[in-house]
Amino acid sequence: MKRAYVFPGQGAQFTGMGKDLYETSSLANEMFEKANEILGFRITHLMFEGTDEDLRQTRVTQPAIFLHSVILAKTMGDDFKPDMTAGHSLGEFSALVAAGALSFEDGLKLVYKRALSMQKACEKNPSTMAAILALPDDKVEEICAGIDDVVVPANYNCPGQIVISGSIRGIEIACEKMKEAGAKRALPLKVGGAFHSPLMEPAKIELSEAIAATSFSRPNCPVYQNVSTVGETDPDVIKANLVAQLTAPVKWSQSVQNMIADGATEFVELGPGSVLQGLVMKIDKTVSVSGKQ
């Protein structure tokens, strides 16, 4: 029986996130204040009092979710004993810090760099994403490959739920074709751009330099990465996968299946929201699922 801790990605944010932690734990208070200092602005104000619009800005969303998730893990003290960790997209950075592969400070700096470079890439190439429901993975892949524009599978969230990513025109065409092929829904998402697609290449170049210059350690437990879907412990492999992740799909469904195959019987989501708990249940109903936020 093994326990897996999982960490959410962009979209899980809400106003007031982390406020209870800040007010009730001296360690959390200290870590949040350190984050304000590193970032050069009071992200705590935006997390605790900001509007939905404030929190939707990529430069705020990503560090905010990372902070909530990582500080939760740190305040658990000796109770935090993962057999394995994983994170969805941005959440992979939280999973790596929680597992001891990265320091809190370096993790936050990389997440902020990632957020700024992704926001810049979105402004350079206006683009979007869409959720496709109840269509087989191979059919979604086939339709994307047949469109003469940038459209790729971006998130394999659970059986019957894939998010596609690409140019605005490409996504519009793809949504129509998905519906014609029998998709229950093909729903454009309110996101800043085409994450996990070739349109993130400028961000990938920027982030790869920052990752190369950052010191990584061997984690205390395997971290199941979005790109490889298997438990990684080699710092050089982890770094390469983190860079590749910006333009490659998030293979969440495959990662969770591999964690279960490797003995995970209990999944605990740390961070805002409960999206990952829902996805894990759809992937395998036999495992125990809970969350802490």
Side-chain angles (χ1 to χ4, degrees), residues 134-158:
L135 206 59
D137 292 358
D138 56 357
K139 191 64 187 173
V140 174
E141 291 162 356
E142 181 192 318
I143 290 170
C144 288
I147 293 170
D148 187 24
D149 217 314
V150 179
V151 191
V152 294
N155 299 339
Y156 291 82
N157 284 334
C158 65

Side-chain angles (χ1 to χ4, degrees), residues 214-267:
T214 302
S215 174
F216 281 65
S217 304
R218 186 169 283 271
N220 304 322
C221 65
V223 179
Y224 287 67
Q225 292 190 274
N226 296 170
V227 170
S228 67
T229 77
V230 297
E232 306 287 8
T233 55
D234 183 317
D236 290 334
V237 173
I238 287 169
K239 289 169 90 160
N241 284 339
L242 268 187
V243 173
Q245 194 218 70
L246 272 185
T247 53
V250 172
K251 295 180 177 175
W252 184 251
S253 191
Q254 298 91 324
S255 298
V256 170
Q257 285 163 349
N258 285 338
M259 293 166 93
I260 293 166
D262 291 342
T265 55
E266 183 184 354
F267 285 79

Side-chain angles (χ1 to χ4, degrees), residues 49-101:
E49 316 292 344
T51 63
D52 287 348
E53 196 57 44
D54 291 332
L55 288 172
R56 261 203 303 268
Q57 298 175 67
T58 298
R59 74 176 195 93
V60 175
T61 315
Q62 294 197 18
I65 292 169
F66 168 86
L67 287 170
H68 190 170
S69 300
V70 169
I71 292 173
L72 258 174
K74 297 293 184 186
T75 55
M76 286 175 68
D78 292 340
D79 289 339
F80 182 73
K81 291 176 183 165
D83 293 299
M84 54 188 83
T85 66
H88 191 288
S89 188
L90 155 74
E92 190 160 285
F93 287 83
S94 309
L96 286 165
V97 172

